[in-house]
DNA sequence: CGATCGTTTGACGGTGCTCAATCACCGTGG
DNA sequence: CCACGGTGATTGAGCACCGTCAAACGATCG
C-alpha cells in the first residue's frame, strides 16, 4: 500500500549516496515526532515504516502550482516559500514553511497544487504519497492524529497570515511578522530573539502586501527606535515588550504618546 | 442562547419535513452530501446515523473565542462571520462561513476556539462532538474523506482571503471580494451575479483591512464605472469581464493602460 | 576586480485613513 | 400619523502614509 516512491532528487545523485542507511528514507516515528504526535504510542510494528525523504537545494522547487497533487509533503528541516502567480505575472508569496509544516494539503480538493513551493535554503521534506495515505492513516491512528493537529496548526497559521495583512500600517505588519516568526522559532526550540530570515525583502514585502522599499524603511525605523537590530537578514529583537505594543497598534506610530485614551474600539 | 423556535422555513425546499422527526437531528448522509462527499457509498447502516443540528438566530454566537473546543461545526444553511478580538479592542473579521464550511477545526491544536462565530442571519449548523469523532471517522471512511476535502477547501479559502488582503489597492481588494463571494455562490448553486451580502460594510472593511468608508467609496466608484449595481447590501455584477480585470490589477485603476510592459515579475 | 543582485535611502505624488456631516431606513413611542 | 433616536451607508475635506521612480550602496560570486 504505502508506495515507496523514489524521490526524484534534485541533488546530484551520486554524491550523497547512502553509506549505511539510505538517507532518503526515515522511519515513521521520526515524522510523527516532528508533527508533535505521540510517537511513543506507535505500534512497534509501525514505528519503523519507511517514509520517503526528499532533499532540496536552495531555489529548487518542491512542487509547482497547478501540477497534479501526488504527495503530501512535510518540511523536516530548512524552509520554503509558497508562491502563487497572480495572473498578471506578479508573484504573490502566500506562506513560509518551516519544519513541521504541511505542504500540499490545500490542493487536495482540486487534485492539484495551489502554490509553488521553493526552498529558501538546503532543505529536506517528507513525502507521503496520497495513494495509500488513507490506508496508512487507518493503520496508524497516531499518525492520523498528528496529521490532524498539523493541519489545524496550518489553518491557524493561515489566520495569522491574514491577521498580519489586516493591519493597516506597514510598520505594524512588519512587527507582527517578526513576532510571528519569533513565535514559530520558539515552537521549534530556537531562540525567539535571534532571527535569521532566509527570504529576501521582496518576499517579505509580498507576503505582507507592501512595497519592498517599505519593508526596508520599516526595518530601519524600528531599528532606530531600539526595537530591533537589523543586519541584512539577521534580525535581533531588542525589546519584545515594545515590539508587541507596536504590533498591537491598529494605527501606526503615535510614538509621542498622547496619553489620551485610544481613539479606536470598533464594531461588533 | 440556543433559542429553539418554530422554523418557519419556506426557505429550504427540505422535503425532509421537520414535522415527523426531531428538527435538531439530521441523518449523516445529509451532512456527507453537504460536504461534497460520496453519500451514495455510505454503508446503509451508517447513512442514517444521527447528527446534531443547531439553530441560530441572527447575531447569536455559535462559539466564543477562547472557549474550549467541544465540537466541530459545519454550516448547513445561513451564514456566519468569524471575528477575533485584537487585544486592543478592535474586532477583526477573519472569515465569512457559508454552507459547507467547517468552523472550529483551526482550534484543534490548542483545544480552544480561535475565533468567535456569529450568525449573520438565521442559520443552522451541524455539530460533530470531538469525543467520538475519530471513531466515527474510522467507521465511515466516506465521512472522513468528505471532512478532509472540506478542510482542504477551508485551507484554500484562507489562502484566498490572504490574496484579497495582499492586493495593494482597496478597490482591487473589494473587486476580489465580490468575485470570491460570487465564486462561492456558484459553488453553492446560486447565481454568481446576484449577491445578497449579509454583513455590514464595517465587517467587509475589517476582512479586507480597509476603512469602512473606503468600502463605500469603492462600491460607488465601481458602480459609476458600470461594473456593479449596488443597492445597500444587494450587489449585482454587471460586467464580470471588467470586474475580473480590476481584480487582477496589482495596482489600482489606470484603466487607460500605459502600455509599458509590466514592471513586475519577481523572484524565484 | 567587475557584474549582478539585494538593500537602503531620497523625493514626489496619490491613495486612503481620520474626522465629520448628511442621508436613508428602522422600530419605538407619543 | 409623525417626531424621535439609533444604526448603517454615503459623501466631503484635509493630510499623512506609502507606492512609484530613481540612485547610491553593499554583498556575493565568478
Amino acid at each position: 500500500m504505502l508506495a515507496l516512491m523514489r524521490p526524484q532528487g534534485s541533488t546530484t545523485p551520486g554524491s550523497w549516496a547512502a553509506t549505511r542507511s539510505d538517507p532518503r528514507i526515515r522511519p515513521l516515528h521520526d515524522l510523527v515526532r516532528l508533527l508533535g504526535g505521540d510517537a511513543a504510542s506507535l505500534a512497534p510494528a509501525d514505528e519503523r515504516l519507511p517514509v520517503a525523504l526528499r532533499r532540496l537545494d536552495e531555489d529548487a522547487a518542491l512542487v509547482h502550482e497547478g501540477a497534479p497533487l501526488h504527495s503530501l509533503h512535510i518540511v523536516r528541516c530548512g524552509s520554503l516559500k509558497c508562491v502563487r502567480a497572480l495572473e498578471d505575472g506578479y508573484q504573490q508569496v502566500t506562506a513560509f514553511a518551516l519544519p513541521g509544516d504541511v505542504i500540499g494539503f490545500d490542493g487536495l480538493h482540486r487534485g492539484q497544487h495551489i502554490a509553488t513551493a521553493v526552498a529558501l535554503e538546503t532543505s529536506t521534506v517528507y513525502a507521503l504519497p496520497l495513494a495509500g495515505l488513507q490506508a496508512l492513516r487507518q493503520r496508524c491512528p497516531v499518525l492520523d492524529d498528528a496529521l490532524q493537529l498539523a493541519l489545524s496548526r496550518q489553518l491557524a497559521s493561515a489566520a495569522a497570515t491574514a491577521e498580519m495583512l489586516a493591519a493597516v500600517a506597514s510598520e505594524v505588519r512588519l512587527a507582527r511578522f517578526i513576532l510571528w516568526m519569533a513565535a514559530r522559532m520558539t515552537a521549534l526550540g530556537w531562540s525567539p530573539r535571534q532571527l535569521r530570515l532566509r527570504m529576501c525583502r521582496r518576499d517579505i514585502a509580498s507576503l505582507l502586501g507592501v512595497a519592498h522599499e517599505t519593508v526596508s524603511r520599516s526595518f530601519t525605523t524600528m531599528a532606530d527606535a531600539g526595537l530591533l537590530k537589523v543586519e541584512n537578514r539577521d534580525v535581533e529583537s531588542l525589546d519584545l515588550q515594545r515590539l508587541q505594543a507596536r504590533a498591537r497598534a491598529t494605527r501606526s506610530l503615535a510614538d509621542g504618546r498622547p496619553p489620551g485614551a485610544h481613539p479606536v474600539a470598533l464594531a461588533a
Side-chain angles (χ1 to χ4, degrees), chain A residues 178 181-183 185-186 190-195 235-237 240:
Chain A
I178 296 296
M181 290 298 285
M185 296 315 272
T186 316
W190 297 66
S191 161
R193 297 172 183 273
Q194 297 282 354
L195 290 185
V235 176
E236 184 180 357
S237 301
L240 284 177

Side-chain angles (χ1 to χ4, degrees), chain A residues 52-65:
Chain A
L53 205 59
R54 184 162 159 196
R55 185 175 181 277
L56 294 166
D57 289 322
E58 186 174 343
D59 290 330
L62 171 66
V63 294
H64 286 279
E65 179 179 356

Side-chain angles (χ1 to χ4, degrees), chain A residues 209-233:
Chain A
V210 299
H212 72 275
E213 298 97 326
T214 302
V215 171
S216 237
R217 271 185 258 266
S218 299
F219 264 134
T220 52
T221 303
M222 291 199 284
D224 291 346
L227 302 181
L228 301 174
K229 189 152 88 67
V230 180
E231 193 167 345
N232 246 324
R233 297 186 180 181

Side-chain angles (χ1 to χ4, degrees), chain A residues 130-195:
Chain A
L130 290 185
L133 181 57
Q134 175 156 346
L136 183 61
R137 280 178 30 224
Q138 295 253 353
R139 173 171 172 182
C140 300
V142 177
L143 172 66
D144 195 29
D145 281 356
L147 270 177
Q148 297 287 339
L149 249 58
L151 292 173
S152 171
R153 280 198 303 269
Q154 213 67 12
L155 216 42
S157 173
T161 304
E163 210 162 277
M164 294 188 315
L165 284 161
V168 276
S170 63
E171 213 177 293
V172 177
R173 294 189 189 196
L174 188 59
R176 290 186 186 175
F177 173 72
I178 296 296
L179 288 174
W180 183 53
M181 290 298 285
R184 298 175 77 185
M185 296 315 272
T186 316
L188 291 172
W190 297 66
S191 161
R193 297 172 183 273
Q194 297 282 354
L195 290 185

Side-chain angles (χ1 to χ4, degrees), chain A residues 48-115:
Chain A
R48 304 208 73 84
L49 280 176
V51 179
L53 205 59
R54 184 162 159 196
R55 185 175 181 277
L56 294 166
D57 289 322
E58 186 174 343
D59 290 330
L62 171 66
V63 294
H64 286 279
E65 179 179 356
L69 182 70
H70 292 130
S71 296
L72 240 45
H73 296 278
I74 297 103
V75 182
R76 179 173 182 260
C77 64
S79 53
L80 299 88
K81 65 175 176 182
C82 301
V83 300
R84 295 197 54 174
L86 239 47
E87 317 190 349
D88 57 349
Y90 182 77
Q91 295 274 355
Q92 170 68 40
V93 175
T94 60
F96 294 121
L98 298 185
D101 285 341
V102 183
I103 291 178
F105 188 83
D106 52 1
L108 197 64
H109 65 118
R110 291 177 52 193
Q112 57 182 21
H113 284 283
I114 297 296

Side-chain angles (χ1 to χ4, degrees), chain A residues 42 52 55 60 93 118 121 125 161 172 195 202-203 205-207 253:
Chain A
L42 261 177
R55 185 175 181 277
V93 175
V118 177
E121 57 188 312
V125 297
T161 304
V172 177
L195 290 185
R202 194 180 292 266
D203 287 338
S206 176
L207 183 77
L253 40 134

Side-chain angles (χ1 to χ4, degrees), chain A residues 172 175-176 179 227 239-249:
Chain A
V172 177
R176 290 186 186 175
L179 288 174
L227 302 181
D239 192 337
L240 284 177
Q241 202 76 22
R242 286 201 297 150
L243 202 54
Q244 286 163 345
R246 186 142 320 193
R248 226 175 289 130

